[in-house]
Amino acid sequence: MPKALFSIVAGVALAVCSILSMAAQPDPILPRPSGPAPAVKFTIIKTGETPTRDALTWAGGSWSQKVMANHVAILVSHPSGRFLLDSGLGTQTGRHFDDQMPWWVKPLMRYQGFSPARAQLDARGEPAISRIVLTHGHWDHVAALHDFPEAEVWLTAGELDFVRTAKPPAVLPVQVNAPGIRWHTYALAPRRFGPFEQHLDLFGDGSAVLVPLFGHTPGSVGLVLTLSSGRQALFIGDVAWRVDGVTHQAPKPFISRRVVDHDAEATHDTVKLLHAIQQANPGLLIIPAHDAVVHDALGYYPRWVE
């Protein structure tokens, strides 16, 4: 083949491969409800905090900077009902932590400012919570399930298997083995939702949608909310502990991810996907479960974000 013709053929092949590669990339734009935005809002219920170092929360963090890792539950209000996203720390967490948390990790996970979600909600006369949706099953996200015996606890079947078989420090058996917990497993529908190949529309109107964020645990999920103002929020659980990790596409520090990430490589891939979503959706609120900087800016229960 003449050199000039070879160059043309090679160039065309490269262009075709590039186009096919771009076509294979998922659209990072998050869909919105097709009709008028329903009256959706959320509030962050802070149940405790753990002092730590920035460098222990994401790979680009500073050792000299002290930060707080919050423990929260998110109360979501929709015209068709309310639910909690995760439960935060609960009334029995202290005893469970002392009894079953391994000694070598206790200094890193000690918490302060303890204020269970159930006590805060009851103090303001809030109606009973009938559903708790878990981003994942780690101990600090399920610690208050005992405080809500009337609630169904929603998680994927894979995550329930993980919860029932994982060991401390990931899961404390005393928190999840009580016969009274009303586990409710669900499957994500195999239909695309923006960049996600699966999703579950909780109310059928596109305003509260669960999406797969696998890696940190086998069945980790996130929640996309479209608020009454039209603004969108993406709750990412523990895929990244700080929004800085998403912004810089950085994983957790080596030691941290070895201890807490079920699949560190898959978790980092999810961080990269979240970064693409962040870049493609201006104004999107990305809310990690433990990022006190993000939480402080939004405010805490009883302040609502709409």
Side-chain angles (χ1 to χ4, degrees):
M1 180 183 294
K3 184 175 181 180
L5 180 59
F6 177 82
S7 298
I8 293 172
V9 172
V12 170
L14 183 61
V16 170
C17 289
S18 178
I19 292 171
L20 291 175
S21 176
M22 290 174 63
Q25 296 299 315
D27 181 359
I29 301 295
L30 293 176
R32 293 177 173 274
S34 56
V40 174
K41 59 184 179 179
F42 72 88
T43 182
I44 302 171
I45 306 173
K46 183 176 179 179
T47 65
E49 61 185 17
T50 296
T52 187
R53 295 282 174 176
D54 188 39
L56 291 175
T57 64
W58 68 290
S62 167
W63 281 105
S64 63
Q65 182 180 353
K66 295 180 180 180
V67 297
M68 285 293 178
N70 278 349
H71 301 288
V72 302
I74 308 297
L75 178 59
V76 177
S77 176
H78 182 280
S80 296
R82 290 182 167 193
F83 66 91
L84 283 181
L85 184 69
D86 293 333
S87 73
L89 305 182
T91 57
Q92 301 181 50
T93 301
R95 178 169 59 84
H96 295 165
F97 185 94
D98 290 342
D99 290 348
Q100 295 196 336
M101 186 63 68
W103 64 269
W104 53 270
V105 78
K106 280 183 178 178
L108 296 175
M109 295 188 177
R110 288 285 181 193
Y111 56 88
Q112 61 191 34
F114 178 58
S115 182
R118 184 65 189 251
Q120 294 188 51
L121 295 171
D122 286 351
R124 290 187 168 270
E126 298 282 3
I129 299 296
S130 61
R131 175 164 54 171
I132 299 173
V133 178
L134 297 178
T135 60
H136 63 291
H138 279 166
W139 75 274
D140 48 331
H141 295 255
V142 306
L145 296 185
H146 293 76
D147 295 342
F148 298 94
E150 69 280 8
E152 287 188 339
V153 181
W154 283 46
L155 73 175
T156 64
E159 192 67 5
L160 181 56
D161 288 342
F162 169 77
V163 164
R164 286 175 167 167
T165 57
K167 305 298 182 185
V171 174
L172 305 184
V174 69
Q175 293 179 335
V176 297
N177 287 341
I181 298 177
R182 300 174 61 199
W183 300 111
H184 175 94
T185 59
Y186 63 86
L188 298 172
R191 296 190 297 273
R192 183 166 289 282
F193 180 81
F196 300 102
E197 294 183 354
Q198 308 171 69
H199 74 282
L200 179 64
D201 188 341
L202 290 174
F203 296 105
D205 59 9
S207 65
V209 179
L210 296 177
V211 294
L213 297 179
F214 304 150
H216 181 61
T217 64
S220 290
V221 299
L223 172 68
V224 180
L225 285 185
T226 301
L227 306 174
S228 55
S229 64
R231 193 171 191 185
Q232 289 184 300
L234 173 53
F235 297 86
I236 66 170
D238 285 4
V239 174
W241 285 333
R242 301 285 302 283
V243 77
D244 293 322
V246 175
T247 301
H248 298 282
Q249 303 186 70
K252 300 179 184 74
F254 176 77
I255 295 177
S256 299
R257 63 180 181 263
R258 286 294 299 271
V259 172
V260 304
D261 284 340
H262 177 77
D263 185 330
E265 183 176 352
T267 305
H268 194 203
D269 287 342
T270 302
V271 169
K272 294 174 183 177
L273 173 61
L274 292 174
H275 174 80
I277 293 170
Q278 180 188 52
Q279 296 300 302
N281 296 268
L284 174 68
L285 291 170
I286 292 185
I287 305 175
H290 297 292
D291 194 332
V293 175
V294 173
H295 301 166
D296 289 349
L298 295 171
Y300 298 99
Y301 178 78
R303 178 180 176 182
W304 290 88
V305 181
E306 302 184 54

